[in-house]
């Protein structure tokens, strides 16, 4: 067993190489997409798709980090640094990568991403004209800036205190300062994520509204954060960066149980949204679902239910599965694929009504953004140990048994 | 007054802290005992593994019962709403699975839940009127602040001296015989 004190930051050349390949491939596909008029519009939707995925993983991890502090959890101290690593893009990268969305909004004529950004279109549409006090570019950008600032502020606070512990600087005080921000974070998170979901995803179809939409997006976000966390923990453990005996099967069981629970939560929220719309049968609500059950989209909707709920639920049902690292890896990969699919299902039907379209024009931004995310993780690993070595509760967390 | 017959049915070792109990449970399992049990005031983490208790069949059977409930719900809603007493509601198809999903869910949970409860009683042999542990006087202690290992005399490996020696070897300082009292048949006469 490696002594805890000797854990130091380690560069992962493999992760860096994968990240760079994805980034370069993504950029390579994005540049030609930006040149053609039709492919430029497809690029816009695809960028939002990739960005929303990055956002889901980052804020999903930030949610669990905040939950850890809010509940004064002890079992998860061993994986706290991994949550911090996955949440770290929220300190700056998430905001920087939002700039293309801002540009696509301001250059609406070239990208036509948000229909409400088209003044001529809004003028002849009484519903959109009525929504103008909320759905207008300056207010949209101000809100986005606020959300990004709130997330960056809390993430910076959690990370700064955590890094102070590494240096052995007032470790107990740092725990208390992180815990103190747990509850304010959770309240701010709930509001900002709901509004961001409405702004960035629901307003792609500005006629439609669903009051549960924020929770729906959050449920996918929590799942993606968990799946990324589980994958990262298992990868770090297998590569020996997290020393033997740190993350036990009991910790894995907890991650598996949370993944299991949140898959059921997603199904509950998704079905609640669908059933209420189906039951009330009001045309101003049903068309959104109707669009997604037509043509090729029906298959995507069915695949979504399978990938997000049925498969993860039954794979994780046995107790043994939640303790088995390889099963957890498989489920996490399915869950992350499910998040890609879910965001595709939310964004793309607004562009391609007839059925799902996926070509090189769609692949550039997701690949580049996935590469950017991995690059950020590899930079984090090169600078920080992947275990919260200074946390006074670390030893207790390592002894955690179910 | 009736005379009380009694016989020794085992040995109990009492411990003051749960980790001593878990360590002792490992020793007892290694010594090859099969008829023994632990008694604690609350669930002790890691005790099942230490005792080598195999995975319970309750979950699997509960799942099957849940599917039986799901089948019942599909049959029930379909038969009632689409065949036996068809009523058009809100212009929706007679068999509207969307509206029945809550019933599918509820009957799944109901069947699984009741089955699990019944199995827990049956497999845990709950609902016995009497156990020698009630006479032993250790129950007030293990439901308060102490932790006990009970080795039963019915174990093929059992001998009183070996059992006491094993418990003593695990660091137990409080070893007591388990006595079962049997009243005469004519106790009330």
């Amino acid at each position: 067993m490696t002594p805890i004190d000797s854990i130091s930051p380690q560069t992962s050349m493999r992760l860096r190489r994968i990240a760079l390949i994805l980034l370069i491939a993504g950029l390579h596909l994005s540049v030609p997409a930006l040149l053609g008029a039709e492919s430029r519009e497809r690029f816009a939707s695809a960028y939002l798709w990739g960005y929303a995925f990055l956002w889901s993983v980052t804020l999903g991890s930030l949610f669990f980090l905040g939950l850890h502090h809010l509940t004064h959890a002890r079992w998860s101290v061993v994986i706290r640094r991994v949550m911090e690593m996955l949440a770290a893009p929220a300190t700056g990268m998430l905001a920087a990568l939002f700039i293309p969305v801002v540009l696509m909004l301001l250059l609406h004529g070239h990208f036509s991403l948000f229909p409400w950004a088209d003044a001529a279109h809004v003028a002849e549409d009484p519903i959109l004209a009525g929504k103008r006090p909320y759905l207008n570019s300056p207010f949209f950008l101000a809100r986005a800036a606020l959300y990004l600032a709130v997330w960056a502020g809390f993430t910076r606070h959690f990370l700064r205190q955590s890094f102070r512990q590494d240096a052995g600087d007032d470790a107990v005080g740092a725990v208390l300062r992180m815990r103190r921000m747990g509850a304010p974070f959770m309240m701010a998170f709930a509001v900002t994520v709901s509004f961001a979901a409405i702004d960035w995803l629901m307003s792609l179809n500005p006629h439609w509204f669903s009051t549960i939409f924020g929770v729906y997006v959050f449920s996918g976000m929590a799942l993606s954060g968990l799946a990324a966390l589980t994958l990262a923990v298992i990868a770090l453990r297998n590569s020996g960066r997290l020393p033997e005996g740190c993350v036990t099967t009991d910790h894995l069981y907890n991650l598996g149980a949370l993944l299991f629970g949140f898959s059921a939560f997603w199904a509950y929220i998704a079905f609640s949204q669908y059933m209420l719309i189906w039951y009330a049968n009001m045309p101003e609500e049903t068309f959104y679902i109707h669009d997604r059950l037509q043509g090729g989209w029906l298959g995507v909707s069915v695949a979504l239910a399978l990938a997000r709920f049925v498969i993860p639920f039954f794979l994780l049902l046995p107790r043994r599965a939640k303790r088995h690292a390889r099963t957890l890896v498989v489920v996490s990969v399915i869950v992350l694929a499910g998040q890609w699919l879910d965001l595709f299902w939310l964004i793309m039907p607004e562009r391609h009504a007839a059925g799902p379209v996926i070509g090189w024009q769609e692949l550039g931004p997701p690949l580049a953004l996935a590469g950017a995310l991995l690059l950020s993780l590899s930079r984090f690993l090169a600078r920080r140990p992947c275990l919260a070595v200074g946390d006074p509760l670390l030893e207790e967390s390592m002894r955690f048994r179910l | 007054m009736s005379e009380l017959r009694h016989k020794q049915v085992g040995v109990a070792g009492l411990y003051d802290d749960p980790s001593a109990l878990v360590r002792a449970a490992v020793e007892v399992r290694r010594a090859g005992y099969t008829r023994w049990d632990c008694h604690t005031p609350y669930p002790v983490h890691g005790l099942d593994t230490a005792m080598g208790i195999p995975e319970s069949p309750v979950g699997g059977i509960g799942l099957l019962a849940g599917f039986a409930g799901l089948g019942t719900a599909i049959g029930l809603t379909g038969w009632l709403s689409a065949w036996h007493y068809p009523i058009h509601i809100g212009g929706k198809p007679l068999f509207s699975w969307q509206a029945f999903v809550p019933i599918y869910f509820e009957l799944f949970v109901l069947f699984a839940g009741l089955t699990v409860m019944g199995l827990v009683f049956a497999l845990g042999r709950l609902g016995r009127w009497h156990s020698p542990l009630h006479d032993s006087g250790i129950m007030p202690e293990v439901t308060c602040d102490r932790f006990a290992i009970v080795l039963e005399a019915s174990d093929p490996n059992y001998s009183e001296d070996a059992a006491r020696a094993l418990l003593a070897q695990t660091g137990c300082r409080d070893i007591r015989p388990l006595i079962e009292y049997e009243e005469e048949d004519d106790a009330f006469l």
Side-chain angles (χ1 to χ4, degrees):
Chain A
M1 183 175 159
T2 326
I4 297 302
D5 310 335
S6 72
I7 297 174
S8 53
Q10 265 181 303
T11 319
S12 167
M13 291 316 287
R14 204 162 122 227
L15 182 64
R16 225 176 103 95
R17 202 173 310 130
I18 295 171
L20 286 173
I21 290 172
L22 285 174
L23 191 64
I24 291 166
L27 291 175
H28 191 73
L29 290 170
S30 298
V31 173
L34 278 167
L35 298 177
E38 189 249 346
S39 62
R40 198 182 299 130
E41 293 192 351
R42 287 172 66 179
F43 170 88
S45 297
Y47 189 87
L48 194 64
W49 181 36
Y51 182 79
F53 181 81
L54 181 85
W55 173 63
S56 306
V57 169
T58 305
L59 283 211
S61 309
L62 182 59
F63 166 74
F64 282 100
L65 181 61
L67 192 65
H68 165 94
H69 293 310
L70 175 66
T71 57
H72 298 190
R74 287 156 185 250
W75 73 271
S76 44
V77 172
V78 285
I79 56 169
R80 200 192 76 207
R81 182 53 55 80
V82 186
M83 301 187 218
E84 287 163 354
M85 172 182 82
L86 289 163
T91 53
M93 198 174 96
L94 203 60
L97 292 173
F98 193 73
I99 292 170
V101 180
V102 176
L103 294 176
M104 289 189 282
L105 177 71
L106 297 178
L107 301 171
H108 178 77
H110 297 287
F111 294 99
S112 57
L113 186 57
F114 295 103
W116 49 263
D118 182 350
H121 176 57
V122 172
E124 59 196 39
D125 185 325
I127 294 177
L128 290 192
K131 292 188 179 185
R132 200 156 39 196
Y134 185 80
L135 287 180
N136 61 72
S137 299
F139 192 28
F140 176 95
L141 294 177
R143 284 196 307 269
L146 177 71
Y147 311 146
L148 291 162
V150 166
W151 302 330
F154 279 107
T155 316
R156 269 169 198 274
H157 172 76
F158 290 141
L159 264 61
R160 194 183 313 121
Q161 297 301 330
S162 178
F163 297 155
R164 277 179 67 177
Q165 283 185 331
D166 287 2
D169 180 9
D170 189 15
V172 175
V175 171
L176 297 179
R177 280 188 292 276
M178 289 190 278
R179 285 179 174 180
R180 210 169 293 141
M181 293 314 274
F185 162 75
M186 207 45 86
M187 290 187 279
F189 176 86
V191 176
T192 49
V193 164
S194 302
F195 274 91
I198 291 167
D199 284 5
W200 301 351
L201 298 170
M202 199 165 98
S203 86
L204 290 170
N205 193 331
H207 278 201
W208 186 69
F209 53 90
S210 164
T211 45
I212 207 173
F213 193 79
V215 186
Y216 178 80
V217 170
F218 161 73
S219 66
M221 174 181 271
L223 265 177
S224 356
L226 257 180
L229 179 62
T230 309
L231 281 181
V233 165
I234 293 174
L236 289 169
R237 194 181 74 147
N238 289 354
S239 69
R241 283 154 203 276
L242 275 174
E244 197 71 27
C246 237
V247 176
T248 62
T249 32
D250 295 299
H251 292 106
L252 291 185
Y253 178 88
N254 268 8
L255 287 170
L258 283 168
L259 264 176
F260 175 72
F262 272 95
S263 320
F265 179 67
W266 177 87
Y268 180 82
I269 298 299
F271 187 73
S272 298
Q273 170 168 287
Y274 169 65
M275 192 179 80
L276 290 192
I277 291 172
W278 174 84
Y279 233 127
N281 205 14
M282 293 194 288
E284 66 265 38
E285 290 178 349
T286 50
F287 75 94
Y288 190 85
I289 301 292
H290 188 259
D291 289 350
R292 281 159 178 74
L293 298 176
Q294 293 305 303
W297 290 112
L298 177 64
V300 177
S301 299
V302 172
L304 189 60
L306 291 176
R308 295 239 87 163
F309 172 63
V310 179
I311 297 173
F313 185 86
F314 286 103
L315 280 182
L316 284 179
L317 195 53
R319 179 182 155 85
R320 238 169 305 134
K322 301 187 199 79
R323 311 173 63 90
H324 189 235
R326 208 169 302 158
T327 309
L328 289 178
V329 168
V330 170
V331 173
S332 301
V333 169
I334 294 172
V335 163
L336 286 178
Q339 180 68 5
W340 282 111
L341 193 66
D342 197 356
L343 294 167
F344 190 78
W345 184 83
L346 287 171
I347 295 170
M348 293 302 181
E350 305 311 328
R351 183 77 73 192
H352 309 285
V357 175
I358 190 146
W360 62 270
Q361 295 92 333
E362 269 79 26
L363 288 179
L367 290 179
L369 288 163
L373 177 63
L374 293 182
L375 200 61
S376 143
L377 303 186
S378 100
R379 276 164 56 92
F380 191 96
L381 282 178
R383 290 177 186 186
R384 305 286 174 186
C386 60
L387 189 68
V389 284
D391 196 302
L393 293 167
L394 182 62
E395 234 176 278
E396 189 181 337
S397 169
M398 286 167 64
R399 282 202 308 266
F400 166 75
R401 292 293 174 270
L402 277 171
Chain B
M1 206 183 121
S2 63
E3 190 184 323
L4 291 173
R5 285 194 304 179
H6 65 271
K7 63 173 181 186
Q8 185 165 346
V9 292
V11 171
L14 279 84
Y15 299 82
D16 289 323
D17 79 297
S19 47
L21 179 83
V22 172
R23 282 194 300 273
V26 175
E27 297 286 316
V28 173
R29 173 165 56 87
R30 288 198 183 135
Y33 280 81
T34 51
R35 298 194 56 87
W36 61 291
D37 207 352
C38 293
H39 297 272
T40 60
Y42 52 81
V44 170
H45 292 301
L47 189 56
D48 333 19
T49 350
M51 291 176 68
I53 295 177
E55 206 169 317
S56 144
V58 169
I61 300 174
L63 179 69
L64 291 180
F67 276 113
L70 175 67
T72 309
I74 294 173
L76 179 74
T77 51
W79 178 66
L80 285 176
S81 307
W83 190 75
H84 185 64
Y85 204 92
I87 301 178
H88 281 281
I89 299 166
K92 296 196 158 58
L94 286 173
F95 187 81
S96 293
W97 63 269
Q98 293 93 336
F100 302 147
V101 164
I103 297 159
Y104 300 162
F105 173 73
E106 296 293 350
L107 283 198
F108 194 108
V109 172
L110 180 73
F111 276 50
L114 288 179
T115 306
V116 164
M117 196 181 79
L119 280 175
V120 164
F121 271 80
L123 298 177
R125 280 175 284 152
L126 286 169
R128 278 192 295 169
W129 301 120
H130 177 70
S131 154
L133 288 169
H134 294 155
D135 295 333
S136 68
I138 70 164
M139 271 300 153
E141 290 177 67
V142 297
T143 51
C144 180
D145 61 351
R146 302 196 77 193
F147 306 84
I149 287 185
V150 170
L151 303 177
E152 291 176 24
S154 56
D155 192 294
N157 278 357
Y158 182 86
S159 82
E160 163 131 32
D161 294 339
R164 282 179 174 270
L166 175 64
L167 289 174
Q169 188 198 321
T170 63
C172 184
R173 299 260 174 79
D174 186 357
I175 302 171
R176 302 180 199 173
L178 271 186
I179 306 295
E180 180 164 37
Y181 294 98
E182 287 177 50
E183 287 183 30
E184 294 286 340
D185 291 343
D186 56 3
F188 294 107
L189 294 176

